Amino acid sequence: MQNQKNKKALKIGVVLTDPEDWTARAFINNIDKRGATPVPLNLSALSASLSTADFSIFDIDSKDLELDALLVRDVGISFSLETISFKFDLLRQLEHSMPVMNRPTAIQNAANKFFSFYLFKHAHLPIPRTMITAELEVALKTIETFESAVVKPIFGSQGKGITKLESSQPDLKLKLTELLTERGVLYLQEFVPNPGRDIRVFVVGEEALGAIYRVSISGSFVSNLSQGGRPVRCELTDEMEELAIWATKAVGADFAGVDLIEGEEGLFVLEANGTPSGKGINQACGIDVTERIVELLLERVGETGF
Ligand SMILES: Nc1ncnc2c1ncn2[C@@H]1O[C@H](COP(=O)(O)OP(=O)(O)O)[C@@H](O)[C@H]1O
Ligand SMILES: [Mg+2]
């Protein structure tokens, strides 16, 4: 009874940009189901004052945030370094006084395809050969070695901005020059021949809850659901579980959607997403990952006694 009463009083902020998003709604419903109060928050609508005796972060109605914990669904697209930094710095400040899940550092590590790959490599996880360079000559030599390569934005998502290049294509130098002019730096990765799908494994805490294949639409090598990929139930193997759990740990996340790809010699880790959507796995397997994420966050509030 006492426990129930404590939980009723808990206020859990949910950082989101689209209130209609499946995952955002599922977070809110599950927080509500657990007897806590969900507080939807858009980081763009928050202000920070350093003028008073204490720091304060307040919303559009000038109300100070009085939260017990924060769950991050998504921080939204930002068009400048200053706006994205401000959002993450708000999260970092909030992290001083409450559990924030995922931690801002984990979200940043995961979103960064260069640094996350460094962390994966450090953790001895299998990753496709990858080169990051601002030098055209290095880029050309790399693609000659890889023969078939993908070029990705370092901070990309949803399969956007990914191009496939072949060492044999006559306009290779021109294409690389254009990409280099546009991006300033190139992220080149060996193309992994695969069965036309990738695998998205969901990890919460130290457990893999399930997985889906994302089957690419014909003619596309990108299997993201937002690019038309179709979610199909995938039986988790020990190898998938282990890779996904270690990739999640490597970026420091409490929960993640880990992308794996089936190469000819085995699985490779492609990325760990620190703000994954739970919709695909819910559709394909009936698993609600947000339920376990909310449970883990509430356990964390109890443990830390913030
Ligand atoms: N090295 C690769 N070899 C083959 N396919 C790839 C490779 N990298 C990415 N892909 C395909 O592109 C998709 C998106 O790549 P990913 O690295 O996960 O970036 P994003 O953050 O945009 O999802 C993957 O799900 C996969 O289908
Ligand atoms: Mg991906």
Side-chain angles (χ1 to χ4, degrees):
M1 188 63 200
Q2 185 61 36
N3 234 348
Q4 204 53 28
K5 215 171 156 190
N6 282 342
K7 274 184 195 148
K8 264 255 174 289
L10 289 181
K11 282 171 78 177
I12 313 292
V14 181
V15 173
L16 52 80
T17 55
D18 174 11
E20 296 307 314
D21 166 66
W22 187 93
T23 313
R25 283 168 52 171
F27 276 145
I28 288 172
N29 289 340
N30 278 305
I31 290 168
D32 201 41
K33 258 196 224 156
R34 298 290 304 245
T37 307
V39 182
L41 287 177
N42 188 328
L43 291 179
S44 302
L46 297 182
S47 308
S49 169
L50 303 173
S51 321
T52 47
D54 215 343
F55 315 104
S56 72
I57 294 179
F58 55 91
D59 65 14
I60 205 138
D61 304 318
S62 301
K63 274 202 272 173
D64 275 7
L65 296 183
E66 280 169 9
L67 299 172
D68 297 288
L70 203 57
L71 197 49
V72 183
R73 164 58 189 117
D74 78 295
V75 293
I77 299 163
S78 300
F79 297 100
S80 75
L81 179 62
E82 297 204 356
T83 45
I84 193 72
S85 296
F86 178 56
K87 286 178 182 178
F88 275 98
D89 293 342
L90 285 172
L91 292 177
R92 294 201 298 175
Q93 187 177 327
L94 290 164
E95 203 184 7
H96 280 288
S97 50
M98 68 189 74
V100 177
M101 203 179 265
N102 274 317
R103 293 178 182 91
T105 311
I107 298 173
Q108 284 173 319
N109 287 343
N112 182 330
K113 286 194 171 61
F114 168 46
F115 200 68
S116 60
F117 261 50
Y118 159 74
L119 295 170
F120 296 155
K121 186 99 189 161
H122 196 68
H124 305 290
L125 292 166
I127 49 171
R129 288 187 291 173
T130 302
M131 174 75 80
I132 297 93
T133 183
E135 291 292 338
L136 182 62
E137 285 308 313
V138 176
L140 278 165
K141 270 206 186 109
T142 302
I143 298 204
E144 251 168 53
T145 316
F146 292 171
E147 290 180 11
S148 189
V150 289
V151 190
K152 304 182 190 184
I154 295 179
F155 290 96
S157 65
Q158 302 187 331
K160 290 181 194 151
I162 306 186
T163 319
K164 195 171 165 205
L165 294 175
E166 308 292 338
S167 60
S168 57
Q169 67 187 77
D171 62 345
L172 179 64
K173 194 168 179 178
L174 180 69
K175 279 270 172 330
L176 283 175
T177 308
E178 281 171 5
L179 283 163
L180 200 49
T181 309
E182 181 195 311
R183 295 182 185 174
V185 62
L186 295 178
Y187 185 95
L188 310 164
Q189 189 167 84
E190 183 172 27
F191 179 80
V192 179
N194 62 81
R197 63 186 186 193
D198 74 353
I199 298 168
R200 165 62 64 106
V201 185
F202 275 84
V203 175
V204 185
E206 306 237 327
E207 204 188 344
L209 299 187
I212 48 173
Y213 290 114
R214 297 183 304 181
V215 182
S216 320
I217 48 171
S218 109
S220 170
F221 72 91
V222 173
S223 56
N224 301 61
L225 301 183
S226 49
Q227 302 288 334
R230 190 166 42 89
V232 176
R233 193 191 157 83
C234 164
E235 211 57 55
L236 267 178
T237 63
D238 289 349
E239 189 191 4
M240 289 176 200
E241 280 193 35
E242 201 178 335
L243 291 181
I245 291 169
W246 280 103
T248 305
K249 268 189 213 246
V251 295
D254 290 302
F255 64 92
V258 179
D259 295 348
L260 306 175
I261 197 153
E262 302 152 284
E264 276 152 13
E265 281 114 51
L267 293 172
F268 289 104
V269 178
L270 281 187
E271 72 161 335
N273 188 327
T275 53
S277 166
K279 190 178 173 186
I281 192 165
N282 187 255
Q283 276 176 349
C285 311
I287 297 171
D288 180 359
V289 290
T290 66
E291 199 176 322
R292 178 68 193 121
I293 295 168
V294 167
E295 193 182 17
L296 186 66
L297 181 64
L298 293 177
E299 280 167 24
R300 184 80 41 91
V301 179
E303 280 163 20
T304 50
F306 265 115

